[in-house]
Amino acid sequence: IQATLTVVLSKDYAQNPEIAGDPTNKARDLKLFADTVARVTQAMLEDAQLKKKAKASVRAALTCSYGIVKVQYQRDMRTDALIVDRIEDAQDNILRIESLIATIEDDSQRSDLETKKRELEIAVASMEEQKEVVAAEGLVIDRVRTDRLLIDPSVEDIWEYEAAAWMVECIPMRKSRARGLFADLDMDKATPYKVGDIDASSTERKALFSGPDKAGTDDPIVMVYEAWCKEDNTIYTLVDGVQGKFAREPYRPQLAGERWWPYFLLPFQSVDGEFVSQSLVDLVERLQNEHNETRDKFAEVRRNVRPHFMVSADVPEKSIIKKVHPEIGEYVVVDTGGAPLNQAFQQAQQLTIDPAVFDTSPIRSDWEMVSGLQDAARSTVISPKTATEASIMEQSLAARVSEFRDQIEDWLTEIAQYASELCLLAMTPQQVAQIMGEHTQDPSGEMVPAYSWPDSATPETVFNLVQMKIRAGSTAAPNKLQSQAQWVEALPVLQGLVQTIMQIEASGGDGTPFREMLKETAARFDETIDVERFLPAKPQPPAPMMPPAMPAMGGEQLPPIPGLDQMQA
């Protein structure tokens, strides 16, 4: 299973996707704006370690039916929703100091910590007043475990999870951190959790269980529930064991995208009427157990295949004497009573192994049919195949893998769209300039703005401006041999079309049909080829010739021409 997951994961998700922006309103000139949003979103997602979190979610989809990520924009940890993988900043230090103040009884130590807390608060306030990028601001991506997100059970199909009325995320954290986050809550009533085995004799799975820790730690784990309710667009925070009071006052998120939910679910496959469907591990687990059982039995039989002898019962045990000679070593003396030795000892027949009984070829065939991976894809060729068979298997593998890859790209497109909306709502032009630069040089040599960004944005103005896209196949591991073969085949055709376009446009003709032909040809060869990089710039149309103005003579105005107005009309 591990070998299969490794191959599938590398063919589905191996690198960050290539994001592009497409203006929603084609009538407006928003190309620079769309490019700016795409590049800013790409940079922010890479800073948030998208590849690490998304790859873990894809692996969770293969093993646990579906994976989950949570995308948020971090600005203030006291008003934002709970974020596990936060950006380290001065606010975290304030939180740690507050948790220490609540546990220290010595007045002198408490006074020193309160002084340090005030210094950090002043530093944070000064950074916010400078209107510049604060270290605590930016996109944050959390990888949520599959069993720690509770979804409204009225949702029967996983593809309709956005229609859920509520979602609850279970967030385990240390009591000291929870005490700093929720200072007004009596954390002594919180239910402590411990990490242990479901069964003391089991070593297969670790989980969190409520109850006192055997080690008696001073800082146990507590469970925090963050409930997102779409019916009133409100977030509720509770701590397990603390009854009758919220951990913080219910609030609405400061920044949210058009879809509102920050959770993105990626299923491996779906079954109508079932929210949780079988994962890849569920599909092949029985085959793996059968394979292991067959191999274990074969190893047991092979261990019992040892040479041994049969001894006649007429030879008493005391007649067999083992001696050691200093020159020849150990030898055995047998008193057979004058009979030949071969009549007392005879080599026994060894166990016979039937290879057909322990043949795993049927199991491998079932494995290939279920997983879609051939033996060559797992770096193991059991039987040689012809070129036609190998080509058919490669196409079958591409079809099976491309279906899941298409789901991953749609999932990443939703994440990129949501992240771009958060960036548009939260980031200022000064922050964008640090990523894009202030100015750039156009082909004519003039300095033009390098980016386009709204000075003030509201949900009504940014949700329908740009549509994010993921370039197809950009997440999979690159196949260098295949890409080289495609490029060698496509280069002569593309080169001839580029020369044709240059000749037609140099002579004043319209090269638009050939430009479209070049784009279509490149898409037929490989849709990942960016044709815009190879197309020559369109020549500028000549400026219209204006008739020369007739100067007035002697400073007097020329008399009007009769009927000129009617002729112009």
Side-chain angles (χ1 to χ4, degrees):
I1 289 179
Q2 190 273 340
T4 302
L5 293 180
T6 302
V7 176
V8 174
L9 189 61
S10 65
K11 292 183 175 296
D12 287 329
Y13 193 92
Q15 56 187 354
N16 280 325
E18 296 181 8
I19 301 175
D22 188 18
T24 305
N25 189 349
K26 304 295 183 180
R28 299 173 57 187
D29 187 11
L30 297 176
K31 187 177 186 305
L32 178 59
F33 172 74
D35 293 341
T36 303
V37 175
R39 289 182 58 184
V40 170
T41 304
Q42 182 100 38
M44 298 299 288
L45 288 175
E46 290 179 358
D47 290 342
Q49 299 180 347
L50 172 65
K51 179 182 177 181
K52 177 181 177 181
K53 307 299 175 55
K55 199 169 186 178
S57 300
V58 173
R59 188 182 297 110
L62 295 172
T63 57
C64 306
S65 180
Y66 60 90
I68 310 169
V69 295
K70 180 182 180 182
V71 182
Q72 291 179 279
Y73 195 91
Q74 171 183 320
R75 179 173 284 171
D76 185 1
M77 68 185 308
R78 297 185 182 277
T79 58
D80 291 344
L82 293 180
I83 302 174
V84 178
D85 297 331
R86 290 186 50 84
I87 303 174
E88 293 291 336
D89 65 329
Q91 295 180 4
D92 290 334
N93 297 330
I94 295 176
L95 180 65
R96 298 189 191 99
I97 291 175
E98 287 182 349
S99 63
L100 291 175
I101 292 175
T103 57
I104 291 178
E105 299 179 356
D106 190 354
D107 295 337
S108 60
Q109 295 182 3
R110 184 182 293 110
S111 176
D112 294 339
L113 290 174
E114 289 178 350
T115 303
K116 183 64 175 177
K117 173 188 172 183
R118 285 194 295 269
E119 293 177 356
L120 290 173
E121 289 176 346
I122 294 173
V124 172
S126 63
M127 286 189 293
E128 292 177 350
E129 292 176 356
Q130 292 176 359
K131 303 298 183 182
E132 294 179 356
V133 178
V134 184
E137 188 169 346
L139 281 177
V140 180
I141 300 177
D142 282 345
R143 214 278 287 186
V144 182
R145 279 181 44 168
T146 306
D147 56 346
R148 289 183 182 170
L149 184 66
L150 312 178
I151 302 178
D152 183 5
S154 64
V155 180
E156 295 182 351
D157 194 339
I158 192 171
W159 295 110
E160 300 176 356
Y161 71 93
E162 295 183 29
W166 52 264
M167 296 184 189
V168 180
E169 182 184 358
C170 307
I171 305 175
M173 65 174 62
R174 291 290 180 183
K175 183 184 286 188
S176 59
R177 185 172 184 270
R179 183 178 285 111
L181 279 173
F182 319 120
D184 298 334
L185 203 65
D186 186 6
M187 295 305 301
D188 294 333
K189 297 181 180 180
T191 303
Y193 278 70
K194 63 180 180 179
V195 179
D197 296 329
I198 295 179
D199 185 2
S201 61
S202 175
T203 59
E204 295 182 356
R205 182 169 178 257
K206 295 282 187 179
L208 288 173
F209 299 93
S210 61
D213 195 347
K214 295 181 180 179
T217 177
D218 296 333
D219 194 9
I221 297 175
V222 297
M223 187 65 71
V224 179
Y225 299 106
E226 185 180 79
W228 291 65
C229 183
K230 192 177 182 181
E231 294 180 349
D232 54 3
N233 292 345
T234 306
I235 303 175
Y236 302 89
T237 310
L238 306 96
V239 176
D240 190 12
V242 182
Q243 303 294 332
K245 187 177 182 181
F246 290 111
R248 60 170 65 166
E249 288 297 325
Y251 64 98
R252 296 184 177 182
Q254 294 182 351
L255 299 174
E258 188 176 11
R259 72 193 299 273
W260 196 74
W261 294 114
Y263 301 101
F264 296 85
L265 274 62
L266 173 66
F268 169 66
Q269 62 180 3
S270 60
V271 178
D272 292 341
E274 294 185 8
F275 189 85
V276 179
S277 59
Q278 287 186 323
S279 65
L280 182 60
V281 173
D282 296 331
L283 295 175
V284 298
E285 188 174 12
R286 292 183 59 184
L287 293 175
Q288 177 178 266
N289 295 337
E290 183 181 359
H291 181 275
N292 291 345
E293 182 181 0
T294 303
R295 300 297 295 174
D296 290 341
K297 290 181 178 179
F298 176 71
E300 182 180 358
V301 173
R302 187 173 55 188
R303 283 192 299 267
N304 293 329
V305 177
R306 290 174 291 185
H308 58 283
F309 291 86
M310 300 177 66
V311 185
S312 174
D314 296 335
V315 180
E317 185 176 356
K318 63 181 180 179
S319 300
I320 303 176
I321 304 173
K322 182 173 65 176
K323 294 184 178 182
V324 178
H325 191 276
E327 295 182 359
I328 64 176
E330 182 179 347
Y331 62 96
V332 179
V333 178
V334 181
D335 184 8
T336 60
L341 183 62
N342 58 2
Q343 295 182 4
F345 284 85
Q346 183 178 358
Q347 185 173 0
Q349 184 178 1
Q350 298 183 8
L351 293 176
T352 303
I353 299 179
D354 186 3
V357 177
F358 305 102
D359 185 20
T360 58
S361 298
I363 303 176
R364 287 197 303 270
S365 299
D366 294 341
W367 190 287
E368 294 175 359
M369 181 174 57
V370 173
S371 65
L373 295 182
Q374 311 300 327
D375 51 13
R378 299 195 305 271
S379 302
T380 305
V381 179
I382 305 300
S383 58
K385 298 176 176 59
T386 63
T388 304
E389 292 175 340
S391 177
I392 295 175
M393 288 183 175
E394 181 65 24
Q395 293 177 4
S396 174
L397 172 62
R400 296 287 295 272
V401 174
S402 62
E403 171 62 24
F404 186 42
R405 185 190 304 165
D406 184 64
Q407 296 181 15
I408 296 175
E409 291 173 352
D410 292 341
W411 177 67
L412 291 172
T413 301
E414 294 181 358
I415 294 176
Q417 182 67 30
Y418 186 83
S420 65
E421 294 169 356
L422 294 183
C423 292
L424 282 170
L425 292 174
M427 297 183 66
T428 62
Q430 291 78 13
Q431 293 173 298
V432 176
Q434 294 185 357
I435 300 175
M436 301 291 297
E438 292 289 349
H439 297 86
T440 185
Q441 190 173 7
D442 63 358
S444 62
E446 297 182 1
M447 300 302 294
V448 296
Y451 66 93
S452 176
W453 200 262
D455 294 331
S456 61
T458 60
E460 294 78 9
T461 59
V462 303
F463 284 171
N464 297 321
L465 285 177
V466 64
Q467 190 72 26
M468 306 306 295
K469 298 185 298 182
I470 301 295
R471 189 165 66 86
S474 60
T475 60
N479 189 339
K480 292 185 177 181
L481 295 178
Q482 182 180 1
S483 61
Q484 289 174 359
Q486 290 177 344
W487 179 248
V488 170
E489 186 178 358
L491 180 59
V493 180
L494 300 180
Q495 190 173 8
L497 286 174
V498 170
Q499 293 177 354
T500 303
I501 293 172
M502 295 176 65
Q503 293 174 0
I504 293 176
E505 293 182 349
S507 60
D510 184 12
T512 302
F514 290 92
R515 288 177 176 268
E516 296 300 325
M517 189 185 302
L518 177 62
K519 295 178 182 179
E520 183 66 23
T521 303
R524 296 296 178 92
F525 275 102
D526 185 4
E527 61 182 4
T528 62
I529 297 178
D530 186 7
V531 186
E532 297 294 337
R533 296 187 301 160
F534 314 124
L535 285 173
K538 288 188 176 181
Q540 296 294 333
M545 299 295 294
M546 298 297 295
M550 297 182 64
M553 303 191 59
E556 299 179 356
Q557 298 293 334
L558 292 176
I561 301 176
L564 179 61
D565 296 337
Q566 290 80 1
M567 294 173 59
Q568 290 178 346

PDB file of all heavy atoms in Angstrom, residues 131-151:
ATOM      1  N   LYS A 131       1.213  51.517   9.443  1.00  0.00           N
ATOM      2  CA  LYS A 131       0.542  51.202   8.183  1.00  0.00           C
ATOM      3  C   LYS A 131       1.441  50.398   7.241  1.00  0.00           C
ATOM      4  O   LYS A 131       1.384  50.543   6.027  1.00  0.00           O
ATOM      5  CB  LYS A 131       0.077  52.476   7.468  1.00  0.00           C
ATOM      6  CG  LYS A 131      -0.847  53.340   8.304  1.00  0.00           C
ATOM      7  CD  LYS A 131      -2.129  52.605   8.657  1.00  0.00           C
ATOM      8  CE  LYS A 131      -3.071  53.505   9.442  1.00  0.00           C
ATOM      9  NZ  LYS A 131      -4.309  52.829   9.848  1.00  0.00           N
ATOM     10  N   GLU A 132       2.284  49.557   7.793  1.00  0.00           N
ATOM     11  CA  GLU A 132       3.155  48.718   6.982  1.00  0.00           C
ATOM     12  C   GLU A 132       2.840  47.257   7.285  1.00  0.00           C
ATOM     13  O   GLU A 132       1.989  46.932   8.115  1.00  0.00           O
ATOM     14  CB  GLU A 132       4.626  49.030   7.279  1.00  0.00           C
ATOM     15  CG  GLU A 132       5.040  50.444   6.856  1.00  0.00           C
ATOM     16  CD  GLU A 132       6.494  50.713   7.190  1.00  0.00           C
ATOM     17  OE1 GLU A 132       7.120  49.840   7.802  1.00  0.00           O
ATOM     18  OE2 GLU A 132       6.983  51.796   6.837  1.00  0.00           O
ATOM     19  N   VAL A 133       3.552  46.389   6.600  1.00  0.00           N
ATOM     20  CA  VAL A 133       3.309  44.969   6.772  1.00  0.00           C
ATOM     21  C   VAL A 133       3.767  44.540   8.162  1.00  0.00           C
ATOM     22  O   VAL A 133       4.924  44.729   8.533  1.00  0.00           O
ATOM     23  CB  VAL A 133       4.060  44.155   5.699  1.00  0.00           C
ATOM     24  CG1 VAL A 133       3.835  42.668   5.915  1.00  0.00           C
ATOM     25  CG2 VAL A 133       3.581  44.561   4.314  1.00  0.00           C
ATOM     26  N   VAL A 134       2.849  43.993   8.944  1.00  0.00           N
ATOM     27  CA  VAL A 134       3.176  43.472  10.256  1.00  0.00           C
ATOM     28  C   VAL A 134       3.529  41.998  10.099  1.00  0.00           C
ATOM     29  O   VAL A 134       3.019  41.305   9.229  1.00  0.00           O
ATOM     30  CB  VAL A 134       1.981  43.660  11.221  1.00  0.00           C
ATOM     31  CG1 VAL A 134       2.334  43.215  12.623  1.00  0.00           C
ATOM     32  CG2 VAL A 134       1.557  45.124  11.216  1.00  0.00           C
ATOM     33  N   ALA A 135       4.430  41.513  10.951  1.00  0.00           N
ATOM     34  CA  ALA A 135       4.890  40.130  10.823  1.00  0.00           C
ATOM     35  C   ALA A 135       3.762  39.130  10.992  1.00  0.00           C
ATOM     36  O   ALA A 135       3.817  38.024  10.493  1.00  0.00           O
ATOM     37  CB  ALA A 135       5.989  39.847  11.848  1.00  0.00           C
ATOM     38  N   ALA A 136       2.682  39.543  11.682  1.00  0.00           N
ATOM     39  CA  ALA A 136       1.600  38.612  11.972  1.00  0.00           C
ATOM     40  C   ALA A 136       0.528  38.616  10.901  1.00  0.00           C
ATOM     41  O   ALA A 136      -0.543  38.081  11.120  1.00  0.00           O
ATOM     42  CB  ALA A 136       0.977  38.940  13.323  1.00  0.00           C
ATOM     43  N   GLU A 137       0.742  39.207   9.753  1.00  0.00           N
ATOM     44  CA  GLU A 137      -0.303  39.333   8.754  1.00  0.00           C
ATOM     45  C   GLU A 137       0.032  38.495   7.533  1.00  0.00           C
ATOM     46  O   GLU A 137       1.161  38.505   7.054  1.00  0.00           O
ATOM     47  CB  GLU A 137      -0.493  40.796   8.343  1.00  0.00           C
ATOM     48  CG  GLU A 137      -1.689  41.026   7.446  1.00  0.00           C
ATOM     49  CD  GLU A 137      -1.983  42.496   7.289  1.00  0.00           C
ATOM     50  OE1 GLU A 137      -1.448  43.302   8.070  1.00  0.00           O
ATOM     51  OE2 GLU A 137      -2.749  42.839   6.371  1.00  0.00           O
ATOM     52  N   GLY A 138      -0.951  37.782   7.045  1.00  0.00           N
ATOM     53  CA  GLY A 138      -0.741  36.979   5.850  1.00  0.00           C
ATOM     54  C   GLY A 138      -1.654  35.773   5.829  1.00  0.00           C
ATOM     55  O   GLY A 138      -2.389  35.487   6.792  1.00  0.00           O
ATOM     56  N   LEU A 139      -1.623  35.032   4.713  1.00  0.00           N
ATOM     57  CA  LEU A 139      -2.414  33.823   4.589  1.00  0.00           C
ATOM     58  C   LEU A 139      -1.834  32.704   5.446  1.00  0.00           C
ATOM     59  O   LEU A 139      -0.612  32.549   5.542  1.00  0.00           O
ATOM     60  CB  LEU A 139      -2.468  33.358   3.129  1.00  0.00           C
ATOM     61  CG  LEU A 139      -3.439  34.076   2.190  1.00  0.00           C
ATOM     62  CD1 LEU A 139      -3.304  33.522   0.789  1.00  0.00           C
ATOM     63  CD2 LEU A 139      -4.867  33.952   2.671  1.00  0.00           C
ATOM     64  N   VAL A 140      -2.713  31.938   6.056  1.00  0.00           N
ATOM     65  CA  VAL A 140      -2.315  30.788   6.868  1.00  0.00           C
ATOM     66  C   VAL A 140      -3.162  29.600   6.435  1.00  0.00           C
ATOM     67  O   VAL A 140      -4.383  29.720   6.279  1.00  0.00           O
ATOM     68  CB  VAL A 140      -2.501  31.066   8.374  1.00  0.00           C
ATOM     69  CG1 VAL A 140      -2.071  29.849   9.185  1.00  0.00           C
ATOM     70  CG2 VAL A 140      -1.709  32.284   8.798  1.00  0.00           C
ATOM     71  N   ILE A 141      -2.514  28.456   6.235  1.00  0.00           N
ATOM     72  CA  ILE A 141      -3.205  27.232   5.824  1.00  0.00           C
ATOM     73  C   ILE A 141      -2.991  26.180   6.905  1.00  0.00           C
ATOM     74  O   ILE A 141      -1.858  25.859   7.254  1.00  0.00           O
ATOM     75  CB  ILE A 141      -2.689  26.716   4.470  1.00  0.00           C
ATOM     76  CG1 ILE A 141      -2.897  27.769   3.384  1.00  0.00           C
ATOM     77  CG2 ILE A 141      -3.404  25.427   4.083  1.00  0.00           C
ATOM     78  CD1 ILE A 141      -2.357  27.363   2.032  1.00  0.00           C
ATOM     79  N   ASP A 142      -4.087  25.671   7.447  1.00  0.00           N
ATOM     80  CA  ASP A 142      -4.054  24.590   8.421  1.00  0.00           C
ATOM     81  C   ASP A 142      -4.475  23.296   7.738  1.00  0.00           C
ATOM     82  O   ASP A 142      -5.414  23.287   6.936  1.00  0.00           O
ATOM     83  CB  ASP A 142      -4.994  24.861   9.596  1.00  0.00           C
ATOM     84  CG  ASP A 142      -4.404  25.852  10.582  1.00  0.00           C
ATOM     85  OD1 ASP A 142      -3.196  26.095  10.507  1.00  0.00           O
ATOM     86  OD2 ASP A 142      -5.165  26.391  11.415  1.00  0.00           O
ATOM     87  N   ARG A 143      -3.803  22.212   8.088  1.00  0.00           N
ATOM     88  CA  ARG A 143      -4.228  20.887   7.636  1.00  0.00           C
ATOM     89  C   ARG A 143      -5.050  20.268   8.764  1.00  0.00           C
ATOM     90  O   ARG A 143      -4.538  19.961   9.838  1.00  0.00           O
ATOM     91  CB  ARG A 143      -3.020  20.019   7.315  1.00  0.00           C
ATOM     92  CG  ARG A 143      -3.246  19.056   6.170  1.00  0.00           C
ATOM     93  CD  ARG A 143      -3.950  17.819   6.547  1.00  0.00           C
ATOM     94  NE  ARG A 143      -3.119  16.897   7.306  1.00  0.00           N
ATOM     95  CZ  ARG A 143      -3.482  15.690   7.666  1.00  0.00           C
ATOM     96  NH1 ARG A 143      -4.691  15.252   7.378  1.00  0.00           N
ATOM     97  NH2 ARG A 143      -2.696  14.912   8.379  1.00  0.00           N
ATOM     98  N   VAL A 144      -6.341  20.113   8.536  1.00  0.00           N
ATOM     99  CA  VAL A 144      -7.259  19.588   9.543  1.00  0.00           C
ATOM    100  C   VAL A 144      -7.363  18.079   9.372  1.00  0.00           C
ATOM    101  O   VAL A 144      -7.586  17.584   8.252  1.00  0.00           O
ATOM    102  CB  VAL A 144      -8.651  20.239   9.422  1.00  0.00           C
ATOM    103  CG1 VAL A 144      -9.584  19.722  10.512  1.00  0.00           C
ATOM    104  CG2 VAL A 144      -8.527  21.751   9.496  1.00  0.00           C
ATOM    105  N   ARG A 145      -7.214  17.355  10.461  1.00  0.00           N
ATOM    106  CA  ARG A 145      -7.353  15.910  10.390  1.00  0.00           C
ATOM    107  C   ARG A 145      -8.783  15.529  10.063  1.00  0.00           C
ATOM    108  O   ARG A 145      -9.738  16.199  10.449  1.00  0.00           O
ATOM    109  CB  ARG A 145      -6.922  15.275  11.717  1.00  0.00           C
ATOM    110  CG  ARG A 145      -5.424  15.138  11.842  1.00  0.00           C
ATOM    111  CD  ARG A 145      -5.011  14.496  13.144  1.00  0.00           C
ATOM    112  NE  ARG A 145      -5.822  13.343  13.493  1.00  0.00           N
ATOM    113  CZ  ARG A 145      -5.502  12.490  14.464  1.00  0.00           C
ATOM    114  NH1 ARG A 145      -4.396  12.680  15.155  1.00  0.00           N
ATOM    115  NH2 ARG A 145      -6.281  11.480  14.758  1.00  0.00           N
ATOM    116  N   THR A 146      -8.933  14.421   9.348  1.00  0.00           N
ATOM    117  CA  THR A 146     -10.243  14.023   8.870  1.00  0.00           C
ATOM    118  C   THR A 146     -11.220  13.770  10.014  1.00  0.00           C
ATOM    119  O   THR A 146     -12.405  14.098   9.915  1.00  0.00           O
ATOM    120  CB  THR A 146     -10.114  12.765   7.995  1.00  0.00           C
ATOM    121  OG1 THR A 146      -9.160  13.008   6.957  1.00  0.00           O
ATOM    122  CG2 THR A 146     -11.445  12.394   7.360  1.00  0.00           C
ATOM    123  N   ASP A 147     -10.746  13.205  11.116  1.00  0.00           N
ATOM    124  CA  ASP A 147     -11.641  12.871  12.222  1.00  0.00           C
ATOM    125  C   ASP A 147     -11.857  14.038  13.175  1.00  0.00           C
ATOM    126  O   ASP A 147     -12.501  13.855  14.215  1.00  0.00           O
ATOM    127  CB  ASP A 147     -11.089  11.673  12.994  1.00  0.00           C
ATOM    128  CG  ASP A 147      -9.677  11.909  13.507  1.00  0.00           C
ATOM    129  OD1 ASP A 147      -9.044  12.867  13.047  1.00  0.00           O
ATOM    130  OD2 ASP A 147      -9.204  11.138  14.364  1.00  0.00           O
ATOM    131  N   ARG A 148     -11.330  15.227  12.858  1.00  0.00           N
ATOM    132  CA  ARG A 148     -11.489  16.371  13.756  1.00  0.00           C
ATOM    133  C   ARG A 148     -12.342  17.481  13.144  1.00  0.00           C
ATOM    134  O   ARG A 148     -12.295  18.612  13.604  1.00  0.00           O
ATOM    135  CB  ARG A 148     -10.123  16.924  14.153  1.00  0.00           C
ATOM    136  CG  ARG A 148      -9.362  15.990  15.088  1.00  0.00           C
ATOM    137  CD  ARG A 148      -8.051  16.553  15.537  1.00  0.00           C
ATOM    138  NE  ARG A 148      -7.346  15.598  16.387  1.00  0.00           N
ATOM    139  CZ  ARG A 148      -6.089  15.733  16.783  1.00  0.00           C
ATOM    140  NH1 ARG A 148      -5.403  16.803  16.412  1.00  0.00           N
ATOM    141  NH2 ARG A 148      -5.522  14.824  17.548  1.00  0.00           N
ATOM    142  N   LEU A 149     -13.108  17.167  12.117  1.00  0.00           N
ATOM    143  CA  LEU A 149     -14.063  18.111  11.563  1.00  0.00           C
ATOM    144  C   LEU A 149     -15.423  17.436  11.526  1.00  0.00           C
ATOM    145  O   LEU A 149     -15.627  16.453  10.814  1.00  0.00           O
ATOM    146  CB  LEU A 149     -13.654  18.563  10.160  1.00  0.00           C
ATOM    147  CG  LEU A 149     -14.557  19.630   9.543  1.00  0.00           C
ATOM    148  CD1 LEU A 149     -14.442  20.941  10.322  1.00  0.00           C
ATOM    149  CD2 LEU A 149     -14.206  19.873   8.085  1.00  0.00           C
ATOM    150  N   LEU A 150     -16.347  17.954  12.316  1.00  0.00           N
ATOM    151  CA  LEU A 150     -17.708  17.427  12.386  1.00  0.00           C
ATOM    152  C   LEU A 150     -18.584  18.264  11.470  1.00  0.00           C
ATOM    153  O   LEU A 150     -18.638  19.485  11.601  1.00  0.00           O
ATOM    154  CB  LEU A 150     -18.224  17.476  13.824  1.00  0.00           C
ATOM    155  CG  LEU A 150     -17.282  16.914  14.901  1.00  0.00           C
ATOM    156  CD1 LEU A 150     -17.896  17.063  16.272  1.00  0.00           C
ATOM    157  CD2 LEU A 150     -16.941  15.462  14.609  1.00  0.00           C
ATOM    158  N   ILE A 151     -19.282  17.613  10.559  1.00  0.00           N
ATOM    159  CA  ILE A 151     -20.075  18.296   9.530  1.00  0.00           C
ATOM    160  C   ILE A 151     -21.545  17.941   9.718  1.00  0.00           C
ATOM    161  O   ILE A 151     -21.883  16.824  10.139  1.00  0.00           O
ATOM    162  CB  ILE A 151     -19.582  17.913   8.120  1.00  0.00           C
ATOM    163  CG1 ILE A 151     -18.098  18.262   7.974  1.00  0.00           C
ATOM    164  CG2 ILE A 151     -20.386  18.618   7.033  1.00  0.00           C
ATOM    165  CD1 ILE A 151     -17.505  17.876   6.650  1.00  0.00           C
TER     166      ILE A 151
END
